[in-house]
Amino acid sequence: NPDFALVQSDCIQAYVQAELIGEYIFISMPRSWWPAHWSGLRKLVCRLKKALYGHPKAVHLWAGRSGSVLKGEGFEEVEGWPSMYCKHFSFSGTMFIDVYVGDLIIFGPRKAVAESLARIRKEVSVEDPTELGKYPGCFHRVQHSGSKPKRPTVVEFDMCDYNKAIVDR
């Protein structure tokens, strides 16, 4: 359907967009990250307020943050697919968003995709959407066959290189 889009968009430093909750964690930052007004100090620890890549709870905190933003925009979690969300538009169809690590894979009516993404970007830092290509560990091949207007589109998800790398390790 030419009125539908299949795109991906990277959430900029996704995990850092989620607040750490629960127990306080303190870290020592590299001196190169210190603000200028700390220059006279010898050693300093800071409370970590944002989830960082590698933190054991970072994935779950980001999933909660992104999920709450999507639900606030009227998306519903797809049963059995905890990272997949959908929203039905009465006149144009259904839109799907898959939150995969720090990427959004988005499919739906072009107008709905553009409008929803504009609203989501008010709460989450997201890059401009691009054609579906690759996200962590997975390449996409989008193929069209036949002639318009009923030209089917096939999207192949290829994780062969990713799985081979795991086996090799």
Side-chain angles (χ1 to χ4, degrees):
N1 185 336
D3 295 331
F4 276 62
L6 176 61
V7 296
Q8 71 184 65
S9 191
D10 181 54
C11 298
I12 301 163
Q13 297 181 347
Y15 292 3
V16 179
Q17 294 188 51
E19 296 281 333
L20 273 179
I21 53 175
E23 71 237 14
Y24 288 179
I25 297 173
F26 292 88
I27 62 167
S28 177
M29 293 192 315
R31 283 192 184 266
S32 61
W33 294 5
W34 287 20
H37 66 276
W38 289 4
S39 62
L41 302 173
R42 288 170 63 190
K43 187 163 185 167
L44 184 70
V45 293
C46 303
R47 181 175 161 218
L48 186 61
K49 293 184 177 183
K50 301 285 186 169
L52 296 176
Y53 286 95
H55 186 282
K57 295 181 182 176
V59 173
H60 301 292
L61 294 170
W62 166 242
R65 165 91 172 110
S66 57
S68 68
V69 169
L70 292 173
K71 289 175 184 174
E73 289 301 322
F75 285 84
E76 298 174 5
E77 199 169 333
V78 175
E79 186 177 341
W81 292 78
S83 65
M84 182 74 70
Y85 296 84
C86 70
K87 183 175 181 179
H88 305 285
F89 296 89
S90 58
F91 294 103
S92 57
T94 302
M95 181 175 158
F96 294 90
I97 296 181
D98 181 35
V99 181
Y100 184 80
V101 187
D103 288 278
L104 302 179
I105 309 301
I106 307 165
F107 174 75
R110 287 187 190 281
K111 184 177 178 188
V113 168
E115 291 172 356
S116 294
L117 197 50
R119 286 192 304 274
I120 290 166
R121 289 175 105 172
K122 291 179 181 176
E123 295 190 55
V124 176
S125 295
V126 178
E127 289 182 352
D128 291 334
T130 60
E131 203 173 282
L132 188 64
K134 178 187 183 227
Y135 60 80
C138 189
F139 287 93
H140 300 90
R141 286 188 218 25
V142 180
Q143 301 171 347
H144 306 282
S145 61
S147 59
K148 291 182 178 180
K150 295 191 176 191
R151 179 174 75 170
T153 299
V154 175
V155 179
E156 179 182 312
F157 296 84
D158 180 354
M159 296 182 74
C160 292
D161 290 342
Y162 175 74
N163 289 324
K164 183 181 181 320
I166 290 172
V167 170
D168 289 347
R169 277 195 197 144

